[in-house]
Every structure is written in structure tokens, then in C-alpha cells.
Amino acid sequence: MISKTLLIVAHAPSPNTKKLAQAAFNGANHPDIDIKVILKSPQETQPEDVLAADALLLGTTENLAYMAGLTKDFFDRCYYPVLEKKQGLPFALYIRAGQDGTGTKRAMQTIITGLRWSWTQEALILKGDWQDDFSNQVEELAMTLAAGVEAGIY
């Protein structure tokens, strides 16, 4: 059987956002799920990585009511090279937002609609002061996406 690939693109500029990226990786690598999981930062992710993926989980911070600049750079570099080839790509998102998260969510909805990717669930917005449960929520998001990809649901 051909193994499927989940690409996690996580902007992790702080110790807490690094915990979120690791939680995503751990959740997707649950021992009962048999898929290949790749974790990369936005700046090291290339169009070829997206083209090789069967699903994508994106994690970003919210900066000035918008996605992180490096997350935007990822889309700037990858948008057109993948546009016609990855329509329908299963996609999930988590946003680490100190305040609100809706500006980033709106911007992401516009980009994902343009790419014609398929949301697997509502964006997960982790807002306010840091809570240890944020990691559990991201781990569950990644595990759900990975299990759905393996089962062919997405």
C-alpha cells in the first residue's frame, strides 16, 4: 500500500509555539495511524513539498491581526506552483492568537478558497494567555486529520 503524506507547516517563533508544532507532529504520528508526517517551518517549505502531500496542516501566529509574515511568504512562494495541481487538498489550521484570531482566519479563508483546498474542520483559534491545553487541542486536530487521511475520508 502506498503511504500517504501529511505535511505540517508550522510557524514556531517562541517556546510555546514550538510546543504546538511538536504536539501537531506527535498527534499525526499516533502509533495507530500509518502515514508519513513531515514537519517544516514556512520558510523551508517549498512548492514541491506541497505537491508531494496528501493533506496539509498549517500552524501560524497572529501578528497585527494577520497571519505571520513567514506564513504569508510560504503562500506567496507556493500559491501559483500548486494552484492547478492540488485542488481539493485536505487542509486544517491552527492559529495562536494573543487576542482574537479572526483577522488571520479571514485571510486564511480567502487564500484557501483561492487555492480550492478543502477545509477538514473549522480553524482552531488558540487565543488569550498561554494554556497548557492548547497543545492537547493541536495534537487532537493533527491526529484527526492524519486518521482521516489514512482512512481516505479526506
Side-chain angles (χ1 to χ4, degrees):
M1 183 170 148
I2 297 173
S3 181
K4 295 181 181 177
T5 300
L6 170 59
L7 174 62
I8 301 171
V9 179
H11 178 59
S14 70
N16 285 337
T17 53
K18 284 180 176 56
K19 288 179 190 175
L20 297 177
Q22 188 61 52
F25 186 77
N26 293 346
N29 272 305
H30 187 280
D32 293 338
I33 302 171
D34 184 25
I35 66 169
K36 180 179 179 183
V37 181
I38 298 170
L39 172 62
K40 290 193 167 201
S41 67
Q43 62 267 37
E44 67 183 357
T45 305
Q46 299 301 317
E48 296 77 21
D49 298 312
V50 178
L51 292 170
D54 296 293
L56 193 145
L57 173 60
L58 181 76
T60 188
T61 55
E62 179 173 74
N63 300 336
L64 305 171
Y66 195 70
M67 73 186 78
L70 289 173
T71 303
K72 175 67 168 63
D73 175 72
F74 157 73
F75 283 114
D76 287 344
R77 288 181 293 102
C78 295
Y79 190 92
Y80 289 107
V82 306
L83 178 61
E84 296 300 323
K85 298 175 182 169
K86 293 309 284 189
Q87 293 179 14
L89 181 72
F91 176 80
L93 169 69
Y94 69 87
I95 301 165
R96 176 62 186 115
Q99 298 298 319
D100 184 57
T102 57
T104 300
K105 179 181 170 183
R106 254 190 322 275
M108 292 300 303
Q109 288 170 327
T110 300
I111 292 168
I112 300 311
T113 297
L115 285 165
R116 295 180 217 115
W117 291 357
S118 298
W119 289 88
T120 60
Q121 71 179 62
E122 184 71 21
L124 174 61
I125 301 176
L126 309 163
K127 60 184 168 182
D129 292 335
W130 174 261
Q131 300 171 34
D132 289 334
D133 189 54
F134 287 167
S135 294
N136 296 331
Q137 292 176 54
V138 170
E139 185 172 342
E140 184 178 316
L141 173 68
M143 189 183 314
T144 301
L145 179 57
V149 169
E150 179 195 35
I153 295 169
Y154 309 125

PDB file of all heavy atoms in Angstrom, residues 80-101:
ATOM      1  N   TYR A  80       0.992  29.869  -6.752  1.00  0.00           N
ATOM      2  CA  TYR A  80       0.825  29.569  -8.176  1.00  0.00           C
ATOM      3  C   TYR A  80       1.413  28.229  -8.606  1.00  0.00           C
ATOM      4  O   TYR A  80       0.803  27.533  -9.432  1.00  0.00           O
ATOM      5  CB  TYR A  80       1.353  30.723  -9.036  1.00  0.00           C
ATOM      6  CG  TYR A  80       0.439  31.922  -8.943  1.00  0.00           C
ATOM      7  CD1 TYR A  80       0.816  33.055  -8.234  1.00  0.00           C
ATOM      8  CD2 TYR A  80      -0.832  31.899  -9.521  1.00  0.00           C
ATOM      9  CE1 TYR A  80      -0.039  34.140  -8.113  1.00  0.00           C
ATOM     10  CE2 TYR A  80      -1.691  32.992  -9.407  1.00  0.00           C
ATOM     11  CZ  TYR A  80      -1.291  34.101  -8.698  1.00  0.00           C
ATOM     12  OH  TYR A  80      -2.150  35.166  -8.579  1.00  0.00           O
ATOM     13  N   PRO A  81       2.550  27.796  -8.061  1.00  0.00           N
ATOM     14  CA  PRO A  81       3.068  26.481  -8.456  1.00  0.00           C
ATOM     15  C   PRO A  81       2.152  25.303  -8.081  1.00  0.00           C
ATOM     16  O   PRO A  81       2.211  24.254  -8.709  1.00  0.00           O
ATOM     17  CB  PRO A  81       4.409  26.379  -7.725  1.00  0.00           C
ATOM     18  CG  PRO A  81       4.843  27.794  -7.526  1.00  0.00           C
ATOM     19  CD  PRO A  81       3.560  28.549  -7.291  1.00  0.00           C
ATOM     20  N   VAL A  82       1.295  25.474  -7.058  1.00  0.00           N
ATOM     21  CA  VAL A  82       0.441  24.360  -6.643  1.00  0.00           C
ATOM     22  C   VAL A  82      -1.029  24.554  -7.021  1.00  0.00           C
ATOM     23  O   VAL A  82      -1.823  23.622  -6.918  1.00  0.00           O
ATOM     24  CB  VAL A  82       0.549  24.083  -5.118  1.00  0.00           C
ATOM     25  CG1 VAL A  82       2.008  23.889  -4.716  1.00  0.00           C
ATOM     26  CG2 VAL A  82      -0.108  25.159  -4.283  1.00  0.00           C
ATOM     27  N   LEU A  83      -1.381  25.753  -7.463  1.00  0.00           N
ATOM     28  CA  LEU A  83      -2.780  26.134  -7.673  1.00  0.00           C
ATOM     29  C   LEU A  83      -3.570  25.115  -8.496  1.00  0.00           C
ATOM     30  O   LEU A  83      -4.619  24.640  -8.071  1.00  0.00           O
ATOM     31  CB  LEU A  83      -2.854  27.512  -8.332  1.00  0.00           C
ATOM     32  CG  LEU A  83      -4.248  28.035  -8.667  1.00  0.00           C
ATOM     33  CD1 LEU A  83      -5.096  28.174  -7.408  1.00  0.00           C
ATOM     34  CD2 LEU A  83      -4.156  29.371  -9.400  1.00  0.00           C
ATOM     35  N   GLU A  84      -3.103  24.764  -9.651  1.00  0.00           N
ATOM     36  CA  GLU A  84      -3.855  23.870 -10.540  1.00  0.00           C
ATOM     37  C   GLU A  84      -3.660  22.398 -10.210  1.00  0.00           C
ATOM     38  O   GLU A  84      -4.443  21.559 -10.641  1.00  0.00           O
ATOM     39  CB  GLU A  84      -3.455  24.124 -11.998  1.00  0.00           C
ATOM     40  CG  GLU A  84      -3.797  25.520 -12.495  1.00  0.00           C
ATOM     41  CD  GLU A  84      -5.296  25.835 -12.442  1.00  0.00           C
ATOM     42  OE1 GLU A  84      -6.118  24.931 -12.700  1.00  0.00           O
ATOM     43  OE2 GLU A  84      -5.645  26.989 -12.117  1.00  0.00           O
ATOM     44  N   LYS A  85      -2.629  22.072  -9.433  1.00  0.00           N
ATOM     45  CA  LYS A  85      -2.292  20.672  -9.194  1.00  0.00           C
ATOM     46  C   LYS A  85      -2.794  20.117  -7.874  1.00  0.00           C
ATOM     47  O   LYS A  85      -2.829  18.901  -7.694  1.00  0.00           O
ATOM     48  CB  LYS A  85      -0.769  20.499  -9.270  1.00  0.00           C
ATOM     49  CG  LYS A  85      -0.220  20.849 -10.637  1.00  0.00           C
ATOM     50  CD  LYS A  85       1.277  20.787 -10.669  1.00  0.00           C
ATOM     51  CE  LYS A  85       1.766  21.203 -12.052  1.00  0.00           C
ATOM     52  NZ  LYS A  85       3.185  21.413 -12.080  1.00  0.00           N
ATOM     53  N   LYS A  86      -3.172  20.974  -6.922  1.00  0.00           N
ATOM     54  CA  LYS A  86      -3.543  20.479  -5.593  1.00  0.00           C
ATOM     55  C   LYS A  86      -4.953  20.892  -5.170  1.00  0.00           C
ATOM     56  O   LYS A  86      -5.272  20.926  -3.985  1.00  0.00           O
ATOM     57  CB  LYS A  86      -2.528  20.957  -4.541  1.00  0.00           C
ATOM     58  CG  LYS A  86      -1.147  20.376  -4.686  1.00  0.00           C
ATOM     59  CD  LYS A  86      -1.117  18.863  -4.791  1.00  0.00           C
ATOM     60  CE  LYS A  86      -1.343  18.157  -3.488  1.00  0.00           C
ATOM     61  NZ  LYS A  86      -1.097  16.699  -3.584  1.00  0.00           N
ATOM     62  N   GLN A  87      -5.826  21.139  -6.129  1.00  0.00           N
ATOM     63  CA  GLN A  87      -7.202  21.471  -5.788  1.00  0.00           C
ATOM     64  C   GLN A  87      -7.821  20.317  -5.010  1.00  0.00           C
ATOM     65  O   GLN A  87      -7.598  19.152  -5.319  1.00  0.00           O
ATOM     66  CB  GLN A  87      -7.994  21.757  -7.057  1.00  0.00           C
ATOM     67  CG  GLN A  87      -7.516  23.013  -7.746  1.00  0.00           C
ATOM     68  CD  GLN A  87      -8.259  23.315  -9.029  1.00  0.00           C
ATOM     69  OE1 GLN A  87      -9.303  22.742  -9.294  1.00  0.00           O
ATOM     70  NE2 GLN A  87      -7.719  24.213  -9.823  1.00  0.00           N
ATOM     71  N   GLY A  88      -8.555  20.656  -3.969  1.00  0.00           N
ATOM     72  CA  GLY A  88      -9.177  19.634  -3.132  1.00  0.00           C
ATOM     73  C   GLY A  88      -8.288  19.117  -2.011  1.00  0.00           C
ATOM     74  O   GLY A  88      -8.694  18.242  -1.256  1.00  0.00           O
ATOM     75  N   LEU A  89      -7.071  19.653  -1.881  1.00  0.00           N
ATOM     76  CA  LEU A  89      -6.150  19.196  -0.842  1.00  0.00           C
ATOM     77  C   LEU A  89      -6.794  19.368   0.534  1.00  0.00           C
ATOM     78  O   LEU A  89      -7.210  20.471   0.893  1.00  0.00           O
ATOM     79  CB  LEU A  89      -4.843  19.996  -0.899  1.00  0.00           C
ATOM     80  CG  LEU A  89      -3.764  19.609   0.109  1.00  0.00           C
ATOM     81  CD1 LEU A  89      -3.142  18.261  -0.274  1.00  0.00           C
ATOM     82  CD2 LEU A  89      -2.683  20.683   0.178  1.00  0.00           C
ATOM     83  N   PRO A  90      -6.888  18.294   1.323  1.00  0.00           N
ATOM     84  CA  PRO A  90      -7.420  18.433   2.681  1.00  0.00           C
ATOM     85  C   PRO A  90      -6.527  19.357   3.504  1.00  0.00           C
ATOM     86  O   PRO A  90      -5.302  19.238   3.479  1.00  0.00           O
ATOM     87  CB  PRO A  90      -7.382  16.999   3.221  1.00  0.00           C
ATOM     88  CG  PRO A  90      -7.385  16.134   2.006  1.00  0.00           C
ATOM     89  CD  PRO A  90      -6.603  16.902   0.976  1.00  0.00           C
ATOM     90  N   PHE A  91      -7.166  20.260   4.238  1.00  0.00           N
ATOM     91  CA  PHE A  91      -6.439  21.321   4.931  1.00  0.00           C
ATOM     92  C   PHE A  91      -7.054  21.575   6.300  1.00  0.00           C
ATOM     93  O   PHE A  91      -8.276  21.583   6.458  1.00  0.00           O
ATOM     94  CB  PHE A  91      -6.520  22.602   4.094  1.00  0.00           C
ATOM     95  CG  PHE A  91      -5.899  23.804   4.741  1.00  0.00           C
ATOM     96  CD1 PHE A  91      -4.527  23.992   4.698  1.00  0.00           C
ATOM     97  CD2 PHE A  91      -6.688  24.739   5.408  1.00  0.00           C
ATOM     98  CE1 PHE A  91      -3.939  25.109   5.302  1.00  0.00           C
ATOM     99  CE2 PHE A  91      -6.113  25.849   6.006  1.00  0.00           C
ATOM    100  CZ  PHE A  91      -4.740  26.035   5.966  1.00  0.00           C
ATOM    101  N   ALA A  92      -6.181  21.800   7.282  1.00  0.00           N
ATOM    102  CA  ALA A  92      -6.613  22.223   8.611  1.00  0.00           C
ATOM    103  C   ALA A  92      -5.664  23.310   9.096  1.00  0.00           C
ATOM    104  O   ALA A  92      -4.533  23.420   8.615  1.00  0.00           O
ATOM    105  CB  ALA A  92      -6.643  21.044   9.573  1.00  0.00           C
ATOM    106  N   LEU A  93      -6.132  24.085  10.072  1.00  0.00           N
ATOM    107  CA  LEU A  93      -5.399  25.265  10.511  1.00  0.00           C
ATOM    108  C   LEU A  93      -5.532  25.454  12.012  1.00  0.00           C
ATOM    109  O   LEU A  93      -6.620  25.289  12.566  1.00  0.00           O
ATOM    110  CB  LEU A  93      -5.986  26.506   9.807  1.00  0.00           C
ATOM    111  CG  LEU A  93      -5.564  27.887  10.286  1.00  0.00           C
ATOM    112  CD1 LEU A  93      -4.094  28.168   9.966  1.00  0.00           C
ATOM    113  CD2 LEU A  93      -6.469  28.950   9.657  1.00  0.00           C
ATOM    114  N   TYR A  94      -4.400  25.796  12.635  1.00  0.00           N
ATOM    115  CA  TYR A  94      -4.476  26.320  13.996  1.00  0.00           C
ATOM    116  C   TYR A  94      -3.763  27.668  14.036  1.00  0.00           C
ATOM    117  O   TYR A  94      -2.780  27.882  13.344  1.00  0.00           O
ATOM    118  CB  TYR A  94      -3.935  25.346  15.047  1.00  0.00           C
ATOM    119  CG  TYR A  94      -2.449  25.089  15.028  1.00  0.00           C
ATOM    120  CD1 TYR A  94      -1.559  25.904  15.729  1.00  0.00           C
ATOM    121  CD2 TYR A  94      -1.925  24.004  14.334  1.00  0.00           C
ATOM    122  CE1 TYR A  94      -0.193  25.657  15.734  1.00  0.00           C
ATOM    123  CE2 TYR A  94      -0.557  23.744  14.341  1.00  0.00           C
ATOM    124  CZ  TYR A  94       0.298  24.563  15.041  1.00  0.00           C
ATOM    125  OH  TYR A  94       1.648  24.318  15.038  1.00  0.00           O
ATOM    126  N   ILE A  95      -4.332  28.573  14.818  1.00  0.00           N
ATOM    127  CA  ILE A  95      -3.826  29.937  14.938  1.00  0.00           C
ATOM    128  C   ILE A  95      -3.550  30.212  16.415  1.00  0.00           C
ATOM    129  O   ILE A  95      -4.438  30.051  17.251  1.00  0.00           O
ATOM    130  CB  ILE A  95      -4.864  30.962  14.429  1.00  0.00           C
ATOM    131  CG1 ILE A  95      -5.231  30.701  12.969  1.00  0.00           C
ATOM    132  CG2 ILE A  95      -4.345  32.398  14.626  1.00  0.00           C
ATOM    133  CD1 ILE A  95      -6.485  31.435  12.511  1.00  0.00           C
ATOM    134  N   ARG A  96      -2.340  30.624  16.712  1.00  0.00           N
ATOM    135  CA  ARG A  96      -2.017  31.068  18.082  1.00  0.00           C
ATOM    136  C   ARG A  96      -2.172  32.581  18.100  1.00  0.00           C
ATOM    137  O   ARG A  96      -1.379  33.307  17.509  1.00  0.00           O
ATOM    138  CB  ARG A  96      -0.597  30.642  18.468  1.00  0.00           C
ATOM    139  CG  ARG A  96      -0.156  31.149  19.824  1.00  0.00           C
ATOM    140  CD  ARG A  96      -1.032  30.604  20.965  1.00  0.00           C
ATOM    141  NE  ARG A  96      -0.643  31.228  22.219  1.00  0.00           N
ATOM    142  CZ  ARG A  96      -1.437  32.039  22.916  1.00  0.00           C
ATOM    143  NH1 ARG A  96      -2.662  32.322  22.484  1.00  0.00           N
ATOM    144  NH2 ARG A  96      -1.018  32.552  24.047  1.00  0.00           N
ATOM    145  N   ALA A  97      -3.241  33.028  18.748  1.00  0.00           N
ATOM    146  CA  ALA A  97      -3.588  34.446  18.756  1.00  0.00           C
ATOM    147  C   ALA A  97      -3.662  34.949  20.188  1.00  0.00           C
ATOM    148  O   ALA A  97      -4.408  34.394  20.996  1.00  0.00           O
ATOM    149  CB  ALA A  97      -4.936  34.655  18.071  1.00  0.00           C
ATOM    150  N   GLY A  98      -2.923  35.969  20.478  1.00  0.00           N
ATOM    151  CA  GLY A  98      -2.982  36.546  21.808  1.00  0.00           C
ATOM    152  C   GLY A  98      -4.326  37.184  22.102  1.00  0.00           C
ATOM    153  O   GLY A  98      -4.797  37.177  23.227  1.00  0.00           O
ATOM    154  N   GLN A  99      -4.974  37.732  21.098  1.00  0.00           N
ATOM    155  CA  GLN A  99      -6.223  38.447  21.316  1.00  0.00           C
ATOM    156  C   GLN A  99      -7.424  37.772  20.666  1.00  0.00           C
ATOM    157  O   GLN A  99      -8.248  37.204  21.337  1.00  0.00           O
ATOM    158  CB  GLN A  99      -6.107  39.892  20.803  1.00  0.00           C
ATOM    159  CG  GLN A  99      -5.053  40.715  21.495  1.00  0.00           C
ATOM    160  CD  GLN A  99      -5.330  40.875  22.986  1.00  0.00           C
ATOM    161  OE1 GLN A  99      -6.467  41.084  23.386  1.00  0.00           O
ATOM    162  NE2 GLN A  99      -4.303  40.755  23.798  1.00  0.00           N
ATOM    163  N   ASP A 100      -7.479  37.806  19.331  1.00  0.00           N
ATOM    164  CA  ASP A 100      -8.731  37.497  18.662  1.00  0.00           C
ATOM    165  C   ASP A 100      -8.641  36.355  17.654  1.00  0.00           C
ATOM    166  O   ASP A 100      -9.405  35.410  17.721  1.00  0.00           O
ATOM    167  CB  ASP A 100      -9.219  38.791  17.984  1.00  0.00           C
ATOM    168  CG  ASP A 100     -10.559  38.637  17.338  1.00  0.00           C
ATOM    169  OD1 ASP A 100     -11.514  38.267  18.034  1.00  0.00           O
ATOM    170  OD2 ASP A 100     -10.645  38.882  16.123  1.00  0.00           O
ATOM    171  N   GLY A 101      -7.746  36.470  16.687  1.00  0.00           N
ATOM    172  CA  GLY A 101      -7.579  35.433  15.684  1.00  0.00           C
ATOM    173  C   GLY A 101      -8.460  35.543  14.458  1.00  0.00           C
ATOM    174  O   GLY A 101      -8.226  34.867  13.459  1.00  0.00           O
TER     175      GLY A 101
END
